[in-house]
Every structure is written in C-alpha cells, then in structure tokens.
Amino acid sequence: MIAGWIIGCGIEPGQPSATDDPGAVIAFTDVTEEAGLGGFRHVTGARGDRWFPETMGAGAGFIDYDGDGWLDVLLVGGGRWAGEDQPAPALFLYRNDGEGSFTDQTEAAGLDGVSAYGFGLAVADYDNDADQDFYLTTLHENLLFRNDNGIFTETGAAAGVAGEAAWSTSALFFDADADGWLDLYAGNYVVWSPENDLVCTIGRQVSSYCTPEQYEGLTGRFYRNDGYGIFTDQTEAAGFAPAPGKALGVAEADFNRDGRPDLVVVNDTQRDLLFENRGDGTFREIGLISGMALDENGRARAGMGVDAGVVDGSGEPSIFVGNFAKEMVGVYRYTGLDGFNDRAAVSRIGQHTLQTLTFGLFLFDVDLDGDLDLFAANGHISEEIEQVEDGIAFQQPAQLFLNRGDGIFDVARDEGPLALPLVARGAAYADYDRDGDLDILITENGGPVHLWRNDLAEAAFLRVHLEGRQSNRDAFGSRIVAVVGGRRMERRIRSGSSYLSQSEKAATFGLGAATRVDSLLIYWPAGRVDHFTGLEANQTIRIVEGAGRVEPVRLAGREGG
C-alpha cells in the first residue's frame, strides 16, 4: 500500500473561490491489492512482431451493473493474435462489495466467453430500461452488451452498431436530437492488418513500432437510436463524414450554449475536429475555423485523450487534449462566435507536458475546492525511446494539475502514487467508496490496473445524481449550475472523455468550507429547468426530471452511513 500527500494551493488575492478555505490536503492511497484488483493484467499479444495495435492499451470504466448504488469496475483485457493456444479474456467485471473491495463477477454476469481484441468502453442505459449497458470497441466488429438484471447479452449486430470490421477506439453515447434516446458515436483509427503492418525505427537504427502517419485513417461512425435499442448508421446523413480519421478521443459539450450537444474528436497526426450541432439532426464540422484543430504553428498533433469543462470565471468551456511527447497538452477556451483561444502556455500546463506522452486525461475537482483540476495519465509507446531521446522516458509518472480557480494550474508534487512510473493508457474517476471525494482508476499497457483512493481531509461537497423522464434516462446532456455565495460552478452529465474509458456520471461540487449550496439549477436536455435552493453540504442527492423535489441518497463515511 502506497500513500502520498499533496498540499493544495492557497487562493491568492483576487482569485475566484467557492469559499475562503486556504487549501485542502489531498492524500492518495494505492489500494489496488486490498481492493481485489491486483490479479488483473492487460494483454497486448506481443510476441516480437511489433504489430501496431500492441502499443495502444485499453480502457477502464465504472458501471453500477447491479443497481445497488455502488460503482463496479469494468476493465478491457486486450487480446492475443490468431494462432495462440489460449485467447485472452476480453472483459473483466468486478463487483463493488461496499466495503472497499471488489469481487470478480465476469462469469456470473455472462461476460466470460467474450472473444475480441478490445480497446474502449462507453457505459449508458441506451434502451431506457433503468439499468446500465455498455459498448466495447475492438479491432474488428464492435460489441454492445444489454443488461438484463445483471446479466449481459451481446446485441451489437442486432442493434445495428457492430459496424464493419474496423479498428475502433473511444466512443460515447449522447442524445444528438433530444428525442429521449441515446445515440452513439464510435471513433475509428487506421486501416491495419497483420499483412499491412510496417516495420519502423526511431533514430537511425533502433527498431520500434510505427506511428500512424504510415497508415490510412478511418472516419468515425454515428448511429442514431431509433428507439428501444435499435440504431441506424447516419454518419454521412448527419454530417460526420467525410472527415479525417485516426480518432483516439471524443468528448461532448455544448460550447455555444444553444442547448444542443456538440462533439470534439481528437485525432492522431490529423487535425482535430469540432462537430457543431445544428439542431435538425445534422452537424457542421468547424474545427479549423474555430481555432482548436491545430497547434500554434498550424500543425496537427498526435491527440489521445480529451476532456472539456468550465475551469475559470469566464463561464466558457475549455478543451484539454493529451498529445505526444514534445507536443504539450492542448488547452483551448471558447470565446464565443465559434472561436477558441489557445491557453496551453498561459494555463501553465503546456510547459510541464512537453516531455510526457499523455493518453488518459480528465477534469475533476480532486480537492473539493469548487474548481476543476486536471489529471493526465502518461506513458510512451516505445521502450527504446530512452536510447534516442534525452529526458523522455518509456514509463512516466502521472500528473495532477491543481486549478487556482482562474484557469491557471499548479503541478502537484510527485509523491506517493503520483511518483510511480507507468505505461499508462486509460484513466477514469469516480467516488467508488461513497465518501464524497473522487478516486482514480488507471490501466497500463501490457500491465496492471491501479486504483488510487482519494483520502481528502475534511472538505464539503454536494453530489448530484440525475434521472431523466422526458429526457434520456441517464440525463446525458444535462447542465447543472451550483451557486455558492457569489460563485457559479458548472458540471455536465455525459458519457465519453479521457481515453477509451468511462468515468462516473454523477456531478460533484466541491464546497470547501461552505455549509450549503444557495441555488442549484438543472438544465435538462428536453428543455425543462429545475431550480432548488438551500441545499445542505456533505450529501448526495437524486433528482428526477419534473418531480420537483430532491431525494437524499445515504452515503458511507462522513455522514455516518
């Protein structure tokens, strides 16, 4: 067991803050072994051929598959190549026992016989039947798993979302047309097979895996949900094609505040994409004209993970993109009129990420001070990189950037789990132990999974679970605004973000030393706005669309559950 302590930054004069709290002490503890996840190993299938997919790793996710209120862990196992005597399990499902530990329930849930070289996860109640289903992207046809009382049935082909045999990566569910049914976007990568795999070198003589420049890209696919779990491929009709391929990350946000979900898709060595929702079932790609598609020199970067959220007092969302080594993490803030400003340098994130290769990346309020911080999971693709590049390592520690409250970030000290060198890929967050703060799950390529428990010192919070009625059941696309004193905090309920992974769908508002939320507004996808006042701190609540009331959810930990 490894523990680490990180001292949160104090609020400087003039900076926005939810409270006058001078800073919180963050303590992460690596609880992987004691939680029962120590036996997991991701399999790449590598046997010396250096085939391209072996570098990409796989995702991790949180899912309450049995509906007991405790978040379970879903992991992608990877895969082996044809001809191997024993195939690798594609999926691992661990049930949260509610006491800090997990039990392997893969076989009991009907997931033990799945055969696939898997990559990404997206979790959602796509058929609106009040349980959590999930989508698995693979090197070939994708798989959709329908949940029936905790037992999963694969329905990808029958539902219309298996797609053609293609290498797919990150995916997300979102209600593109506000009809109450969740649609699906699946990012695709490159045209690859063992027959067209290329042999490359780094430097002049060191053999290594190739990069995607040598391969043809694949356009992502958009599937419209026609109701009750049947989808239709509407990629071209909806405006998602033609477009450059090689997608590795996808995130949802309503950048222009028109109440309709937009998508940002980050590509590996191709320009990034921004799909603006026109409101008539179609999208317009505006990445280049908006200023977020390329770096400051007009070049495409190797984008991996992505997230978006409001990180400062402007009230406008910012996009964060994990990139390759020697390419800083991208930071773009929306300025209105379909435009973005590059804030990588001014945010102080850029200078600290030039030597890292970032895959998983997400925004979350790690110290419960009211603003969104940034976590980056790092690791290179070439073991040989240290022979040819000074200062760039194969195994790299993760990075935690603490938001001062104004979109300027300080790097947390690399102590405890944050000092561990990893070949990290997928990363997700959730309050798995229901104590109010947010914990971290990370996968390594060809290695273990890591669960880092957040043992934050006392700080107030409000956690919000939404349930749609006229809107989709998961309430994806809902915007929640909490007002504490004179400060507004914004969270969005959604699928996707990071890299190949699925974080929890609840919204967490850190309140610092505040004892209540003065006002809470829910902007539902169907157009309704609910307003609640005087909500006490240190509780989790459930709000059903149109019910007009708040239902407390009993927690463990600080509330004596």
Side-chain angles (χ1 to χ4, degrees):
M1 184 169 65
I2 301 172
W5 292 266
I6 306 155
I7 306 300
C9 302
I11 304 298
E12 297 179 358
Q15 291 182 325
S17 174
T19 70
D20 293 326
D21 181 23
V25 178
I26 307 166
F28 279 115
T29 304
D30 189 330
V31 296
T32 309
E33 293 291 337
E34 65 188 73
L37 302 177
F40 172 82
R41 288 295 183 277
H42 172 258
V43 174
T44 68
R47 54 192 182 190
D49 299 306
R50 294 183 181 271
W51 284 349
F52 189 20
E54 297 167 0
T55 66
M56 305 309 292
F62 291 97
I63 179 173
D64 184 7
Y65 86 100
D66 54 2
D68 65 353
W70 293 90
L71 287 169
D72 313 299
V73 167
L74 183 62
L75 303 175
V76 180
R80 289 192 173 96
W81 303 114
E84 295 290 335
D85 293 335
Q86 184 176 0
L91 293 163
F92 293 81
L93 177 65
Y94 296 89
R95 182 181 181 272
N96 191 333
D97 298 327
E99 297 180 352
S101 61
F102 295 81
T103 302
D104 190 335
Q105 293 291 299
T106 309
E107 181 178 359
L111 298 175
D112 58 316
V114 179
S115 178
Y117 197 116
F119 291 102
L121 294 171
V123 176
D125 182 8
Y126 75 90
D127 50 3
N128 283 341
D129 66 349
D131 55 27
Q132 293 294 287
D133 317 294
F134 71 93
Y135 189 64
L136 173 68
T137 63
T138 82
L139 192 59
H140 302 102
E141 292 185 352
N142 297 328
L143 307 175
L144 179 66
F145 292 89
R146 188 187 67 230
N147 187 347
D148 297 301
N149 299 315
I151 306 297
F152 290 95
T153 302
E154 201 287 303
T155 63
V161 295
E164 299 178 355
W167 183 350
S168 298
T169 54
S170 292
L172 61 74
F173 289 93
F174 72 122
D175 190 355
D177 49 9
D179 65 351
W181 295 99
L182 288 172
D183 310 299
L184 174 66
Y185 181 88
N188 287 333
Y189 195 42
V190 300
V191 177
W192 180 90
S193 69
E195 291 73 27
N196 77 347
D197 189 79
L198 301 173
V199 177
C200 294
T201 61
I202 56 175
R204 293 186 176 180
Q205 298 178 343
V206 180
S207 177
S208 184
Y209 290 97
C210 283
T211 56
E213 289 100 334
Q214 285 80 26
Y215 296 93
E216 178 186 354
L218 288 169
T219 300
R221 310 306 297 176
F222 170 71
Y223 302 97
R224 187 188 66 204
N225 191 333
D226 297 327
Y228 303 100
I230 303 300
F231 294 78
T232 302
D233 189 328
Q234 293 285 301
T235 305
E236 288 77 17
F240 287 98
K246 303 186 183 180
L248 288 180
V250 56
E252 182 268 358
D254 178 11
F255 295 104
N256 55 10
R257 297 291 196 247
D258 62 1
R260 300 188 291 261
D262 310 305
L263 292 189
V264 55
V265 178
V266 298
N267 287 320
D268 191 356
T269 69
Q270 296 283 340
R271 63 180 175 87
D272 296 332
L273 308 172
L274 180 63
F275 291 101
E276 180 185 59
N277 193 329
R278 289 173 164 171
D280 60 358
T282 67
F283 290 76
R284 179 174 69 119
E285 203 285 297
I286 59 170
L288 276 176
I289 64 173
S290 73
M292 55 73 61
L294 304 167
D295 70 8
E296 67 276 11
N297 296 312
R299 296 176 298 194
R301 292 185 280 198
M304 283 81 171
V306 60
D307 204 356
V310 177
V311 297
D312 56 35
S314 71
E316 302 291 357
S318 295
I319 300 171
F320 294 78
V321 180
N323 291 307
F324 209 78
K326 296 187 177 180
E327 298 175 343
M328 64 181 68
V329 165
V331 183
Y332 303 94
R333 186 173 70 190
Y334 188 68
T335 60
L337 300 177
D338 295 335
F340 286 82
N341 278 344
D342 189 328
R343 290 180 56 84
V346 70
S347 70
R348 298 185 59 190
I349 290 173
Q351 62 185 303
H352 295 289
T353 54
L354 277 171
Q355 292 184 305
T356 57
L357 198 168
T358 299
F359 278 90
L361 171 149
F362 56 74
L363 295 164
F364 71 145
D365 187 359
V366 66
D367 48 6
L368 297 181
D369 66 349
D371 49 51
L372 291 173
D373 310 296
L374 181 72
F375 179 80
N378 304 319
H380 211 277
I381 63 171
S382 299
E383 293 184 56
E384 305 82 10
I385 190 63
E386 297 169 21
Q387 301 177 37
V388 297
E389 293 283 358
D390 291 337
I392 298 179
F394 175 57
Q395 294 180 301
Q396 302 175 3
Q399 293 170 296
L400 178 63
F401 297 91
L402 298 174
N403 192 344
R404 296 181 180 180
D406 58 358
I408 309 298
F409 294 79
D410 294 312
V411 185
R413 294 204 299 264
D414 55 348
E415 298 178 353
L418 283 174
L420 294 174
L422 306 173
V423 189
R425 295 296 187 261
Y429 67 86
D431 180 16
Y432 83 91
D433 53 0
R434 302 203 318 187
D435 65 352
D437 53 32
L438 298 172
D439 314 295
I440 296 174
L441 187 69
I442 308 170
T443 65
E444 287 198 72
N445 190 44
V449 66
H450 302 271
L451 180 62
W452 296 352
R453 187 183 67 210
N454 187 347
D455 295 321
L456 184 65
E458 192 68 25
F461 63 89
L462 179 72
R463 284 175 49 80
V464 183
H465 291 267
L466 298 185
E467 188 173 305
R469 286 295 185 263
Q470 185 178 356
S471 303
N472 65 87
R473 185 87 179 202
D474 280 327
F476 287 165
S478 296
R479 182 166 66 102
I480 310 177
V481 175
V483 180
V484 179
R487 187 184 184 191
R488 292 168 60 92
M489 296 172 282
E490 180 176 317
R491 304 290 183 265
R492 192 167 180 86
I493 308 299
R494 63 217 168 110
S495 169
S497 297
S498 192
Y499 173 74
L500 307 178
S501 299
Q502 175 71 56
S503 294
E504 67 170 7
K505 64 174 186 173
T508 297
F509 293 94
L511 307 181
T515 60
R516 56 186 276 166
V517 170
D518 300 319
S519 179
L520 189 75
L521 295 103
I522 317 294
Y523 297 87
W524 299 90
R528 180 185 176 89
V529 180
D530 284 334
H531 184 202
F532 304 93
T533 59
L535 299 173
E536 297 300 316
N538 295 329
Q539 64 170 327
T540 294
I541 60 175
R542 174 175 174 264
I543 299 174
V544 177
E545 184 179 16
R549 65 179 183 276
V550 170
E551 302 174 11
V553 177
R554 187 172 177 79
L555 294 184
R558 296 173 189 165
E559 295 177 311

